Amino acid sequence: MTEFYQVCHIFLILEKTLFCHFLVKYLMNNTRRTLLSLLLIFGSIIHCQSQTSDQPLYQRAEQLAQKFIILDGHIDTPYRVKISKENVAKHTSKGDFDYYRAKKGGLNAPFMSIFIPAFFQNKNGRAKFFANALIRTVEELAERNPQRFAMARTPRDIEKHFRKGLISLPMGMENGAPIEGRLENLSFFYKRGIRYISLTHGKDNHICDSSTDPRKTWGGLSPFGKKVVKEMNHLGMMVDVSHVSDEAFYQVIKLSKAPVIASHSSCRKFTPGFARNMTDDMIKALAKNGGVIQINFGAMFLNESSGNAYVKMTQIRSNLKLSPQKREAAAKAYIKQHPLKADISEVVKHIDHVVQIAGINHVGLGSDFDGVGDALPEGLKDVSFYPNLIYHLLKKGYSERAIEKICAGNVLRVWKAVEKQAGK
């Protein structure tokens, strides 16, 4: 079978109809079974026809990726860079983001996630210290590469940088732990460039309950958390409801005078029991608020089997009866047997579902690149693949205007509305 696969590989790379003739000739002179030959011939012809007909559409998708601003609501590159010391201004062999792949994919405004792991909570200033360190990591990336990157604090910054060919680096904080019970820290981080805060992460914190923490300490928002939402409105900082419990979500929606975002969540309709995603009722409430859900690309957010496997892996890692080493080994063994798999078509399915139940104005992109490891879907493996997503949206029948809204327009609208609410 080695020769057979070699021919298939060459044929698929060249993708020229002329090679169908040579492939047929090769197979007819070969001793392989007739059935195998016929299957490959018919499959090859279909592949040729499909590639020929889809090529103009894909070229159009590539053009749109460069024409439109593409804003991704959640990319975990700062934490990755802080730990690995990689220079993402150059080509990198690891991770999902670097300058060259971003330019190829048309990514203009990746929200750099200032991710604060739950173990920093209640550690006497360590959360704030670590947040500042990650912010400095992003600032240094822009300062050392002024011809490639620029810090962005407003939607107008992003539009200006787009015209100059620069990649904007807006920032959002994942986990409000660095607020540390002091409202003045919200103003501090706003001045540092933070433009949204995911109120919590994997564990309940002093602001609200987490979707993945069974304790439900506050029954939603804490008394301090309610003050946080109001102060964020006052400052002009977006409230991010990704990671919060359902109860906290509805309380935020009731309190917030400005639209809110879910920076990296997907639809629970396709992942029953996966609490990190949003139910249809939540998505409708978010839309009524004027907000946007930014679809997460991780396989566990996209289909039920991967979601269940991820939940089980998390439970194994939380088993205090085992040592940390045994827990991690067991989790890796489990996920090896139950891999997290998805396809780009599933991302489109989630986008399409939001459009159907809430409208085109309430969906965006929040990949979680550099945050979900090997769980990215086929066809959407890093920041160079946005044209492929646009191509699938075009195939689905989305107009250029609709795609422009999905790529950035909807989130920029929310951001401007939040700015307008500031001070009121």
Side-chain angles (χ1 to χ4, degrees):
M1 292 296 287
T2 303
E3 294 176 0
F4 167 75
Y5 283 116
Q6 287 175 341
V7 173
C8 289
H9 179 68
I10 294 170
F11 177 75
L12 293 176
I13 292 175
L14 295 174
E15 296 183 344
K16 300 296 183 182
T17 307
L18 177 63
F19 281 87
C20 290
H21 168 75
F22 294 104
L23 185 61
V24 172
K25 184 177 180 180
Y26 173 87
L27 288 169
M28 294 303 291
N29 292 330
N30 201 284
T31 58
R32 310 299 180 198
R33 291 183 299 175
T34 303
L35 179 59
L36 181 61
S37 301
L38 289 173
L39 286 173
L40 182 57
I41 292 168
F42 286 124
S44 300
I45 292 172
I46 292 170
H47 180 77
C48 284
Q49 291 174 341
S50 173
Q51 291 297 320
T52 302
S53 62
D54 284 357
Q55 187 176 10
L57 194 63
Y58 191 82
Q59 289 175 341
R60 182 180 166 204
E62 290 182 312
Q63 292 167 357
L64 293 180
Q66 301 300 324
K67 177 182 177 181
F68 297 150
I69 294 175
I70 297 179
L71 181 153
D72 192 310
H74 192 91
I75 294 185
D76 279 299
T77 301
Y79 190 86
R80 166 193 159 203
V81 170
K82 184 69 177 174
I83 300 301
S84 69
K85 308 301 181 184
E86 292 175 274
N87 182 3
V88 293
K90 299 181 178 180
H91 287 290
T92 59
S93 58
K94 299 178 181 179
D96 310 322
F97 174 92
D98 61 43
Y99 173 78
Y100 291 97
R101 284 183 282 174
K103 291 297 284 187
K104 180 181 178 182
L107 177 60
N108 312 108
F111 257 92
M112 296 283 100
S113 174
I114 305 305
F115 166 55
I116 313 301
F119 59 73
F120 279 109
Q121 293 170 192
N122 307 316
K123 297 294 184 181
N124 298 322
R126 286 183 60 194
K128 184 178 179 181
F129 178 84
F130 189 67
N132 270 315
L134 289 184
I135 291 170
R136 188 63 195 139
T137 297
V138 179
E139 291 173 335
E140 289 175 349
L141 179 61
E143 290 169 2
R144 293 171 181 172
N145 304 279
Q147 303 305 313
R148 296 180 178 180
F149 299 106
M151 302 301 293
R153 294 172 178 246
T154 69
R156 287 158 297 287
D157 287 344
I158 288 172
E159 291 159 357
K160 178 180 68 175
H161 298 157
F162 175 68
R163 291 191 292 271
K164 292 182 178 180
L166 298 172
I167 293 178
S168 294
L169 299 177
M171 293 184 291
M173 183 183 291
E174 186 176 22
N175 192 351
I179 306 308
E180 297 182 341
R182 301 172 62 191
L183 287 179
E184 54 265 37
N185 278 335
L186 284 169
S187 179
F188 171 83
F189 282 114
Y190 184 85
K191 291 174 182 176
R192 296 288 280 116
I194 297 298
R195 288 302 177 265
Y196 78 68
I197 295 180
S198 312
L199 299 181
T200 188
H201 189 249
K203 298 291 183 181
D204 298 351
N205 65 10
H206 69 299
I207 297 172
C208 70
D209 297 337
S210 168
S211 61
T212 51
D213 191 330
R215 293 176 297 172
K216 300 296 178 279
T217 305
W218 305 105
L221 292 170
S222 71
F224 178 71
K226 294 174 182 178
K227 295 179 182 179
V228 167
V229 171
K230 293 178 180 179
E231 182 65 12
M232 289 176 71
N233 281 178
H234 179 74
L235 289 170
M237 184 185 289
M238 290 181 282
V239 179
D240 178 19
V241 294
S242 286
H243 283 290
V244 308
S245 69
D246 291 8
E247 295 80 6
F249 165 81
Y250 283 110
Q251 291 170 21
V252 168
I253 292 296
K254 184 177 180 180
L255 276 173
S256 181
K257 302 300 183 183
V260 306
I261 61 169
S263 68
H264 58 305
S265 297
S266 296
C267 306
R268 205 180 299 175
K269 173 182 173 64
F270 305 109
T271 59
F274 189 67
R276 265 288 283 112
N277 278 347
M278 299 177 69
T279 67
D280 285 5
D281 286 343
M282 293 169 74
I283 294 169
K284 291 174 184 177
L286 183 73
K288 188 175 181 180
N289 161 270
V292 176
I293 176 173
Q294 296 170 261
I295 300 301
N296 193 307
F297 297 174
M300 57 286 245
F301 292 82
L302 299 177
N303 60 65
E304 186 172 7
S305 60
S306 293
N308 290 342
Y310 182 80
V311 169
K312 179 64 176 178
M313 179 186 69
T314 303
Q315 291 172 345
I316 293 172
R317 281 183 169 151
S318 303
N319 184 1
L320 298 180
K321 294 180 180 180
L322 300 175
S323 68
Q325 294 82 2
K326 288 184 178 180
R327 270 182 271 162
E328 189 61 25
K332 288 182 178 179
Y334 178 83
I335 216 65
K336 186 176 182 179
Q337 295 177 343
H338 305 84
L340 308 178
K341 291 185 177 180
D343 183 79
I344 189 171
S345 62
E346 294 176 87
V347 176
V348 175
K349 183 168 69 172
H350 280 255
I351 292 172
D352 203 46
H353 181 66
V354 175
V355 172
Q356 289 175 20
I357 67 171
I360 188 61
N361 295 322
H362 304 287
V363 65
L365 308 177
S367 64
D368 218 346
F369 280 137
D370 277 338
V372 293
D374 296 331
L376 290 163
E378 292 301 320
L380 205 49
K381 289 296 187 183
D382 62 40
V383 294
S384 69
F385 281 80
Y386 294 101
N388 201 23
L389 180 58
I390 293 174
Y391 162 73
H392 281 271
L393 289 170
L394 288 169
K395 283 188 70 174
K396 190 73 175 178
Y398 281 85
S399 68
E400 290 189 12
R401 177 61 182 140
I403 291 171
E404 186 176 18
K405 288 184 176 185
I406 294 167
C407 286
N410 290 336
V411 176
L412 292 176
R413 169 186 58 78
V414 169
W415 193 351
K416 290 174 183 178
V418 171
E419 285 185 329
K420 189 175 181 180
Q421 180 66 30
K424 295 184 178 179

